[in-house]
Amino acid sequence: MTLREALDVAERRLASAGIDTPRVDAELLLAHVTGTTRSGLYADLEREVDGSWQPLLERRAAREPLAYVLGEWGFRRLTLKTDQRALVPRPETEVVVERCLALLQGIEAPRVLDIGVGSGAIALSLKDERPDAIVVGVDVSDDALALAGENARRLELEVELRRGSIEVAEEGWELVVSNPPYVDTLEGLQPELRHEPEHALLGAGFHETIARTARTRFLVLEVGDGQADEVASLLDGAGYDDVTITPDLAGVDRVVEGRR
């Protein structure tokens, strides 16, 4: 089968499975298998390909997240190893990192805590873009900590990883950041979420607990759709000043921050 034919087959299969972006996903799958880029595929569409892409196609058609199928995913300047041990790094979380970097400007060697480090996306990006920062990531999941450690070693970025949770925020930091669980139920949401670790998705009340526990100069929190105003009020009530809401690239209010 040629690349052209494989792309068409994959696109039709993914469209029939209800994938929102079947052509893009087909291109990414074929580019991954053939060791090229999406644009590189179109430079040699008559190239013959073997069937190694077909098991990956079926995994994606079963609504497994594309990042898990490919085994890696881009986040800001990094390419992270991704699998079911931690949530898929999402584009909206890149705005969280942007806000952290803005708040840390002018602070030498800031101490930063990432609560719920997952794959390491936030912690490793902050260390990558602020090499002088002292970055600690905590998680209650040993599997997530192992994945974050693999990413840190592969990227040669030095972050401290600990098993722990919100209580670590009491130690005192220049900045505490978290993308905590904030989904009440998976009902009605994309099927892909059922492949991700539930403990990192489902939960309530974490934003307030973090805000009231953290001893920090700055606090940056990712929030779910429609939650920004409520979380901003929580930060006000917990004694934070200059509470600000920042939208993500889709225009959804996604990040709430405050300072003390």
Side-chain angles (χ1 to χ4, degrees), residues 89-106:
R90 288 169 166 80
E92 51 265 35
T93 305
E94 296 191 16
V95 180
V96 173
V97 176
E98 288 178 7
R99 293 309 308 148
C100 291
L101 292 170
L103 293 170
L104 292 174
Q105 283 184 359

Side-chain angles (χ1 to χ4, degrees), residues 13-14 17 19 57-64 191 195:
R13 177 72 180 95
L14 295 177
I19 303 296
L57 174 65
E58 290 308 310
R59 288 172 61 187
R60 182 66 186 113
R63 303 304 291 268
E64 183 175 349
H195 293 266

Side-chain angles (χ1 to χ4, degrees), residues 1 21 28 116 142 150 170 176 217 226:
M1 185 179 294
T21 55
L28 288 168
D142 291 332
E150 291 167 22
E170 295 180 297
V176 171
R217 181 173 176 181

Side-chain angles (χ1 to χ4, degrees), residues 76-97:
R76 290 184 70 84
R77 306 193 311 193
L78 307 178
T79 299
L80 300 167
K81 179 177 180 180
T82 48
D83 59 36
Q84 293 185 351
R85 289 177 287 178
L87 296 181
V88 173
R90 288 169 166 80
E92 51 265 35
T93 305
E94 296 191 16
V95 180
V96 173
V97 176

Side-chain angles (χ1 to χ4, degrees), residues 200-218:
L201 285 168
L202 298 176
F206 290 99
H207 295 97
E208 182 173 11
T209 304
I210 293 170
R212 296 193 180 280
T213 301
R215 293 180 55 239
T216 183
R217 181 173 176 181
F218 302 108

Side-chain angles (χ1 to χ4, degrees), residues 69-226:
V69 176
L70 300 181
E72 62 181 22
W73 202 244
F75 185 86
R76 290 184 70 84
R77 306 193 311 193
L78 307 178
T79 299
L80 300 167
K81 179 177 180 180
T82 48
D83 59 36
Q84 293 185 351
R85 289 177 287 178
L87 296 181
V88 173
R90 288 169 166 80
E92 51 265 35
T93 305
E94 296 191 16
V95 180
V96 173
V97 176
E98 288 178 7
R99 293 309 308 148
C100 291
L101 292 170
L103 293 170
L104 292 174
Q105 283 184 359
I107 302 176
E108 184 177 350
R111 296 184 71 246
V112 177
L113 173 66
D114 178 9
I115 300 174
V117 70
S119 65
I122 293 174
L124 293 171
S125 290
L126 289 173
K127 185 64 178 178
D128 175 55
E129 298 180 50
R130 276 295 304 266
D132 66 317
I134 301 163
V135 181
V136 177
V138 298
D139 208 293
V140 296
S141 166
D142 291 332
D143 284 342
L145 288 169
L147 178 59
E150 291 167 22
N151 278 319
R153 289 187 292 273
R154 187 170 59 85
L155 295 167
E156 298 183 340
L157 292 170
E158 186 176 347
V159 299
E160 180 185 346
L161 298 170
R162 304 186 201 168
R163 196 179 198 286
S165 187
I166 298 170
E167 73 281 351
V168 181
E170 295 180 297
E171 295 180 11
W173 307 86
E174 271 71 58
L175 184 144
V176 171
V177 58
S178 184
N179 176 15
Y182 53 67
V183 176
D184 293 328
T185 177
L186 297 181
E187 294 300 322
L189 299 179
Q190 290 183 324
E192 282 82 354
L193 291 175
R194 299 187 182 280
H195 293 266
E196 300 189 58
E198 280 195 7
H199 72 270
L201 285 168
L202 298 176
F206 290 99
H207 295 97
E208 182 173 11
T209 304
I210 293 170
R212 296 193 180 280
T213 301
R215 293 180 55 239
T216 183
R217 181 173 176 181
F218 302 108
L219 177 64
V220 180
L221 300 172
E222 180 170 330
V223 301
D225 295 3

